[in-house]
Amino acid sequence: MQSYDVCECGAPLRLMERPTPKPTGTEVLLKVVAAGVCHSDLHIWEGFYDIGGGKRLKLADRGVKLPLTMGHENVGEVVAAGPDATGVKIGDRRLVHPWLGCGKCAVCRRGDEQLCRTPFSIGVFRAGGYADHLLVPHPRYLFDIGNIPPERAAPLACSGITTYGALKKVGPILQEEPVVIIGAGGLGLMCLALHRAMGGKGAIVVDIDPVKREAALKAGAQAVIDGGAGDAAKQIIEATNGGAWAVIDLVGASRTVQLALDSIVKGGKVIIVGLFGGDITVPTPSFPLRAMSIQGSYVGSLPELAELLDLVRRKGVPDLPIGTRPLAAVNEALNDLKAGKVIGRLVLTPG
Ligand SMILES: [Zn+2]
Ligand SMILES: [Zn+2]
């Protein structure tokens, strides 16, 4: 099999060849049909997160080992299965839930494998879909996509579940008050589409890039605001009639989190999803006096992916712009994403 691997942090991915794995036990081997290129791949590729003050959180310290085949938004066709892999047959097209845990601890048994303390996420801690084949340890991670085109289904595994998980954290207020979404890249447009499918009241989208703001308007945002404007917080407060009840920050930079905190109403919530990096200082009395909360949201659980697919079946696939590229163009795709040139999602199509 062939794959494009990170062999050295930040250096172009290298074409690697190794024997195609033979599934044993409950394992399932897929031929990769679609593999989304996600923003978090840029951090994995670079090898660190910026944690502010010039400090870095190294992925190597979190157990990420090189060479690594990235790619955690995958749809594949079943080509082989171990003797104990039930419920799949050759030729099935499946979306892969990539957020694997140990499967045994209390957290995993509760259904929150994405929060397991020994993660085995596909494309992060084990080989992902920037390859022609992908080995999945158990059929429970595979979801039927019905007649959803693979390149539209693939982003649901990260971009979809991540924004769905964040929107769920807003709670019932989602149907009553507009939500503010910071960032109108692939995640932002997915968040907008799912917000509508979930019966959201309306979304105000913030981005510093006028092209992305335009894309958000076209995708149904009730208003867009330039996050780089000096009075951005004031504009958000006006657009939300006195302050936002919930801000979903898909960027996660010092500036965007600060903007979110400056824009919420008493009792409001800031949900941080993005991994851009940085740090902020928050006066501790603000928490009780403004009755505010700051919550992190990391991808989503297996049951949430099932819920999301059910939502998509009822309300339609999020109509975000999708660009496809051959697997061999993976480096170009990552560079375009890094340069901010991508509207919507790029999906590699190894098949
Ligand atoms: Zn991702
Ligand atoms: Zn576990």
Side-chain angles (χ1 to χ4, degrees):
M1 63 170 283
Q2 293 190 331
S3 61
Y4 282 82
D5 293 5
V6 181
C7 296
E8 191 190 326
C9 290
L13 310 198
R14 231 186 281 156
L15 176 62
M16 307 282 268
E17 246 174 270
R18 58 173 75 86
T20 307
K22 288 195 175 59
T24 59
T26 59
E27 290 173 341
V28 181
L29 182 69
L30 304 171
K31 185 160 76 87
V32 181
V33 181
V37 182
C38 176
H39 220 277
S40 61
D41 286 332
L42 296 179
H43 297 288
I44 299 169
W45 183 28
E46 283 164 349
F48 65 88
Y49 297 112
D50 173 4
I51 51 173
K55 286 179 289 201
R56 290 173 167 189
L57 171 65
K58 289 205 190 107
L59 282 147
D61 296 339
R62 288 184 63 217
V64 175
K65 291 187 194 79
L66 302 184
L68 170 73
T69 312
M70 300 194 297
H72 52 264
E73 292 186 343
N74 307 303
V75 169
E77 193 176 301
V78 176
V79 288
D84 306 321
T86 51
V88 285
K89 56 179 194 309
I90 308 302
D92 283 349
R93 286 205 159 178
R94 293 286 186 264
L95 173 67
V96 183
H97 177 85
W99 311 112
L100 318 192
C102 71
K104 296 180 200 114
C105 72
V107 180
C108 285
R109 284 202 309 268
R110 270 203 305 267
D112 281 324
E113 284 197 45
Q114 81 283 8
L115 304 179
C116 177
R117 278 176 293 180
T118 46
F120 291 100
S121 310
I122 290 173
V124 184
F125 297 101
R126 53 179 289 149
Y130 292 177
D132 49 17
H133 287 80
L134 172 65
L135 190 68
V136 177
H138 196 284
R140 74 168 181 273
Y141 302 115
L142 301 177
F143 289 84
D144 189 0
I145 58 168
N147 47 21
I148 306 173
E151 66 278 10
R152 297 215 158 260
L156 295 173
C158 177
S159 164
I161 200 174
T162 297
T163 49
Y164 179 71
L167 284 161
K168 267 182 77 175
K169 290 181 178 71
V170 174
I173 204 102
L174 192 71
Q175 276 97 35
E176 291 160 26
E177 298 285 346
V179 67
V180 175
I181 300 168
I182 301 182
L187 267 189
L189 297 182
M190 177 69 89
C191 194
L192 249 180
L194 292 178
H195 161 269
R196 198 169 37 235
M198 291 164 82
K201 177 84 177 167
I204 293 152
V205 177
V206 180
D207 204 292
I208 51 172
D209 181 346
V211 179
K212 293 193 172 139
R213 289 200 297 276
E214 191 55 42
L217 267 184
K218 220 187 268 171
Q222 95 178 36
V224 288
I225 288 167
D226 177 4
D231 65 343
K234 192 167 152 255
Q235 288 186 51
I236 297 173
I237 291 167
E238 273 165 19
T240 50
N241 282 321
W245 279 95
V247 180
I248 298 178
D249 184 355
L250 301 172
V251 179
S254 310
R255 262 186 78 170
T256 56
V257 176
Q258 190 61 56
L259 175 62
L261 288 171
D262 292 344
S263 309
I264 53 171
V265 74
K266 265 189 191 176
K269 191 189 260 190
V270 175
I271 300 158
I272 304 174
V273 174
L275 287 161
F276 184 89
D279 58 0
I280 50 158
T281 301
V282 186
T284 53
S286 297
F287 285 92
L289 291 176
R290 297 178 65 198
M292 67 177 197
S293 43
I294 302 178
Q295 186 173 10
S297 190
Y298 180 68
V299 298
S301 66
L302 257 178
E304 280 174 339
L305 188 53
E307 282 172 34
L308 172 60
L309 280 163
D310 183 54
L311 181 73
V312 164
R313 269 189 281 271
R314 284 184 287 114
K315 304 279 183 172
V317 198
D319 184 27
L320 70 158
I322 301 276
T324 56
R325 304 259 174 102
L327 176 61
V330 61
N331 283 307
E332 187 192 291
L334 285 166
N335 285 323
D336 283 356
L337 187 63
K338 192 175 175 180
K341 287 191 217 157
V342 178
I343 300 290
R345 206 57 153 182
L346 282 181
V347 178
L348 304 171
T349 51

